[in-house]
Amino acid sequence: MSLFHSSSAFDFSFKTHSSFRFLVVLRSSSAPAMVSADAARTVVGVLGNIIALFLFLSPVPTFVQIWKKGSVEQYSAAPYLATLVNCMVWTLYGLPMVHPHSTLVVTINGTGTAIEIAYIILFLIYSDPQKRLRVLLLVLVEFIFVSILTILVLTLAHTHKERSMIVGIVCFAFNVMMYASPLTVMKLVIYTKSVEYMPFFLSFASFANGLAWTAYALIRFDPFIAVPNAVGALFSIAQLLLYATFYRSTKRQIAARKLSKGVILDMSEVVVAADQEYSKKEVGSAGPHDDGSSATA
C-alpha cells in the first residue's frame, strides 16, 4: 500500500515537472517570436521613415521649376496643404501621452511638417495675390484646427485608449485626404491628356509610402495606420496608371509647344530682317535724289 502511494506520488511529481518544463519551453519559444515581430516592425518603420522622407522631398524638382519660372502656373497647393495637416495630426497621434511607443511616427511626421511649411512658403511667394490669400487662409484654418484638437484631447480624454481613438479617427480622415488630394490634378490630366503637372516621383513615392506603412501597421495591427495607407496605395496606383497612359502624349505636347515657339521666333527674326532691308533701300533711294536736287538748285 505504501509502495503504491510512493509510486503514485513519484508519477505525479514527474508529470508536474514535465508540464512545468513544457510551459518553460513554450514560453521561451514564443519570446523570440515576440522579439522578432517587434524587430520586424522597427525595421519596416525605419524603412517607412526613409520612403516617407523621399515622398516629402519629391516635390523639390517641381519647386525648382516654379522658382526658375517665377510662377506656380497651374500647380495646385492642395497636395501640400493636405500633407501639412496630415503630418500635424499624425505627430499628435504619435506623442507618448496619446499613443505610446510610436516614436517612428513622430519623427517622420514632425520632419514632414517642417518640409511642407517650407513648400507652402515658396508657393505663397510665387502665387498671384488671389491664390496667395486663399492658401494663406487655409493654412491658418489648419493650424487653428490642430491646436483646438490638441487642447481638447489632452484635457477631456484621460486615457491612452481614448486619446488614441479620437486622434486616430481624425488621422484616418486626413490621411485619406492627403492621398486623395492629387485627384484634382488627375482630373486635369484626363482633361488635358498631359501629366506635366502631376510629378511622377510624387506619385511613385506615395505608392511606396502607403505600402510600407500598411506593412508596418499589419505586424502589430493598428487600423488607424493600416487602412488609410492601403487606400493611399490604391490611389497612387491610379495616378501611376494615368502617368503611363498619357506620358507619350505629354511629350508630344511639349515638343509641339517648343516647335511653335521656335517658329514664332524665326518669323519674328524674318520680320525684323525684312524691316531692316526695307529701311536700307529707302535710305539708298533717298540719297541720290537729294544730291540731284541740290545740284539743280
Side-chain angles (χ1 to χ4, degrees):
M1 192 70 159
S2 60
L3 182 62
F4 174 76
H5 280 297
S6 62
S7 63
S8 298
F10 174 77
D11 184 53
F12 175 76
S13 175
F14 177 75
K15 287 179 178 178
T16 305
H17 183 65
S18 300
S19 300
F20 177 74
R21 287 182 63 189
F22 176 73
L23 286 172
V24 169
V25 171
L26 184 63
R27 286 184 179 179
S28 62
S29 63
S30 63
M34 291 293 292
V35 172
S36 62
D38 289 339
R41 192 170 186 264
T42 302
V43 169
V44 175
V46 171
L47 181 64
N49 269 245
I50 295 169
I51 294 172
L53 184 61
F54 277 107
L55 170 64
F56 294 141
L57 294 176
S58 60
V60 167
T62 299
F63 279 92
V64 169
Q65 289 183 13
I66 289 172
W67 171 68
K68 286 180 178 179
K69 294 178 180 179
S71 172
V72 296
E73 296 184 318
Q74 294 186 56
Y75 286 107
S76 172
Y80 314 110
L81 291 168
T83 306
L84 175 63
V85 70
N86 179 70
C87 287
M88 288 193 290
V89 293
W90 275 113
T91 302
L92 175 62
Y93 180 83
L95 293 176
M97 66 282 292
V98 177
H99 193 77
H101 312 297
S102 301
T103 306
L104 292 172
V105 176
V106 175
T107 53
I108 189 57
N109 285 286
T111 304
T113 300
I115 293 172
E116 296 305 320
I117 289 172
Y119 289 152
I120 290 171
I121 290 171
L122 288 172
F123 200 94
L124 290 170
I125 291 171
Y126 294 108
S127 297
D128 59 78
Q130 186 178 359
K131 186 179 287 187
R132 185 181 300 124
L133 180 62
R134 187 166 62 250
V135 172
L136 199 58
L137 288 174
L138 288 172
V139 171
L140 185 62
V141 169
E142 289 183 356
F143 275 108
I144 292 171
F145 171 78
V146 174
S147 300
I148 293 172
L149 177 65
T150 303
I151 293 168
L152 291 177
V153 166
L154 295 180
T155 54
L156 299 180
H158 302 293
T159 64
H160 289 146
K161 186 176 180 180
E162 289 176 352
R163 291 172 178 174
S164 298
M165 177 68 72
I166 295 167
V167 181
I169 291 171
V170 176
C171 289
F172 182 99
F174 281 112
N175 210 12
V176 172
M177 283 174 60
M178 182 195 77
Y179 283 119
S181 60
L183 289 176
T184 55
V185 182
M186 291 169 68
K187 181 181 177 182
L188 180 66
V189 169
I190 294 170
Y191 179 75
T192 61
K193 293 181 173 56
S194 170
V195 293
E196 187 176 359
Y197 296 101
M198 189 178 73
F200 170 79
F201 289 107
L202 183 60
S203 301
F204 182 76
S206 296
F207 169 68
N209 184 66
L211 207 60
W213 285 104
T214 302
Y216 173 85
L218 290 177
I219 294 172
R220 183 179 290 173
F221 189 62
D222 187 335
F224 299 120
I225 297 178
V227 177
N229 280 286
V231 172
L234 292 175
F235 279 139
S236 301
I237 288 172
Q239 293 170 43
L240 292 171
L241 288 173
L242 275 179
Y243 200 93
T245 303
F246 295 113
Y247 176 75
R248 290 184 179 179
S249 61
T250 304
K251 289 292 184 184
R252 287 196 295 268
Q253 288 182 31
I254 293 172
R257 196 184 310 148
K258 288 181 179 178
L259 182 63
S260 64
K261 285 182 180 178
V263 170
I264 291 170
L265 286 173
D266 290 343
M267 289 299 295
S268 63
E269 289 174 2
V270 169
V271 170
V272 169
D275 287 341
Q276 290 176 349
E277 187 67 26
Y278 181 74
S279 300
K280 287 179 182 178
K281 286 182 179 180
E282 277 193 334
V283 170
S285 60
H289 178 73
D290 290 341
D291 292 341
S293 300
S294 59
T296 308

